[in-house]
Amino acid sequence: MARGSTRPTSRDVAQAAGVSQAAVSLVLGDKWRGRVSETTAERVREAARDLGYRPNLAARNLRLGRTRTVLLVVPALTTEFFGGVYTGAARVAARHGFGVVLYPSPEGVGPARDPFASAQAALDGVIASSMAADALSAIRGDQLPLVMLDSDPRGSHGAVTVNLDIKDGARQVADHLLALGHRHFLHLAADVPSWTFEVRAQELATRVAAVTGTTLRTVAAPISIEGALAATEAALTGPDGPRPTALVCDDDKLAAGAYKALRRLGLRVPDDISVTGVDDLGLATALDPELTTVRLDAETFGERGMAALLAVLEGRTPQEGDIPVELVVRGSTTRTRA
């Protein structure tokens, strides 16, 4: 680079790496695979880092007709889970020169105001949670390359779906509680019309019904501590059926509300009733006793979602298979005394 120059150019990078400017363009545009070797690509990246080279994205995007901007549509950010999804998506996006705009649906679910004069002109693609799917019609996101998260692959609006293996999570919860001798279950279900919660309910019902002498009652609650408290208290003070020994919650926040209701009723966790959640938020270890819950890897979820969208944009086949989940057993579950 010439002395006194304030900004290195792709020509400077090419000279430093001993390659052509075309090779620099391929590598820094992440289109080098199958065209240049891994060794050459790394040499170009190293030269760019050493020189402090930054491509002129505005000019390149004008040439390509792209904004290199992706919209991530999620429910209102009331838990840390979707913050983790954003972190993972943004990490992958940054490695490929993309930016991620986070758009929480103002009401959590349902229609949302269009944040762009024209989403199709302002965005290259959309990643959306099925819990905020209705917002897509307002922003016309369903007319762009679209990846759906937590969505039924058989009826998804998206070109690709990326899912956590939430069915296996429900199976792990049911099998854990059944192995502890529990036979009477209360399911505190999220009052949200979403495929992910339907899957949890169906799998829990299937696993419990496979064991003789079991009962399962379901009550719905908003995903809030206050809503869970009221729903749990009403369910456990009513006349319906035997008192459950296990309370299965669709979300850690629901479990926190359930804890409050159980204490008000003079019931001890886990001695009188075992409790489980889903997510493994920071809240799970703040509760006393600490909550047995299904750990969902939010950052990996976001990474996979962004990687899938990049594959769609580049005409590649995205990675297949659901993301594994893990039951983390803590102090809120124990063997039933019954």
Side-chain angles (χ1 to χ4, degrees):
M1 183 171 60
R3 185 181 300 275
S5 175
T6 58
R7 182 180 180 127
T9 67
S10 62
R11 179 178 298 175
D12 298 321
V13 175
Q15 289 175 349
V19 300
S20 67
Q21 281 184 265
V24 171
S25 179
L26 287 171
V27 172
L28 299 184
D30 200 33
K31 295 182 178 180
W32 58 272
R33 293 171 182 82
R35 303 186 187 185
V36 301
S37 68
E38 173 69 55
T39 301
T40 299
E42 181 53 36
R43 196 164 69 245
V44 170
R45 288 191 289 261
E46 185 176 350
R49 286 194 298 268
D50 290 346
L51 292 171
Y53 173 73
R54 296 290 182 272
N56 187 336
L57 292 178
R60 183 175 68 182
N61 292 341
L62 283 173
R63 291 196 305 272
L64 297 176
R66 280 188 171 185
T67 66
R68 300 187 79 81
T69 302
V70 170
L71 189 69
L72 175 61
V73 182
V74 298
L77 297 177
T78 53
T79 75
E80 69 207 55
F81 178 79
F82 287 105
V85 172
Y86 169 79
T87 298
R91 181 185 300 129
V92 172
R95 290 202 296 262
H96 294 82
F98 277 73
V100 177
V101 177
L102 180 62
Y103 182 48
S105 176
E107 302 302 322
V109 294
R113 183 181 61 82
D114 186 351
F116 302 100
S118 172
Q120 287 177 285
L123 300 168
D124 284 337
V126 177
I127 305 169
S129 164
S130 65
M131 291 176 64
D134 288 344
L136 292 172
S137 58
I139 64 172
R140 299 185 296 282
D142 51 0
Q143 299 175 34
L144 289 162
L146 173 64
V147 170
M148 292 297 300
L149 306 179
D150 260 345
S151 181
D152 186 348
R154 296 168 298 179
S156 174
H157 297 294
V160 179
T161 58
V162 176
N163 289 324
L164 295 152
D165 196 350
I166 202 66
K167 180 177 180 180
D168 185 58
R171 178 197 62 76
Q172 291 182 52
V173 167
D175 289 356
H176 169 67
L177 293 170
L178 288 166
L180 291 173
H182 294 279
R183 295 296 181 266
H184 302 298
F185 297 82
L186 176 63
H187 177 203
L188 189 58
D191 190 12
V192 177
S194 174
W195 174 82
T196 182
F197 295 120
E198 293 172 3
V199 168
R200 300 174 203 199
Q202 290 168 1
E203 184 64 11
L204 177 64
T206 298
R207 305 300 294 193
V208 170
V211 177
T212 58
T214 57
T215 62
L216 171 64
R217 187 154 50 102
T218 299
V219 295
I223 303 180
S224 69
I225 291 175
E226 297 77 13
L229 189 159
T232 303
E233 199 165 26
L236 293 178
T237 54
D240 297 337
R243 169 167 286 179
T245 62
L247 175 53
V248 179
C249 302
D250 270 352
D251 180 273
D252 290 351
K253 186 176 284 189
L254 292 177
Y259 266 49
K260 293 186 74 171
L262 296 172
R263 286 198 171 93
R264 287 189 184 185
L265 296 172
L267 297 173
R268 296 166 299 167
V269 178
D271 298 334
D272 298 314
I273 187 166
S274 289
V275 181
T276 65
V278 176
D279 278 346
D280 198 24
L281 306 176
L283 177 64
T285 53
L287 295 171
D288 185 24
E290 294 185 356
L291 182 66
T292 294
T293 186
V294 178
R295 177 176 293 158
L296 308 182
D297 191 334
E299 292 193 16
T300 297
F301 199 22
E303 289 177 348
R304 282 277 299 274
M306 187 67 217
L309 182 56
L310 290 172
V312 170
L313 292 174
E314 295 172 6
R316 295 183 286 107
T317 301
Q319 180 179 349
E320 297 182 349
D322 293 344
I323 300 167
V325 303
E326 175 190 6
L327 180 68
V328 181
V329 178
R330 300 193 179 101
S332 69
T333 53
T334 192
R335 184 167 294 279
T336 178
R337 292 184 300 182

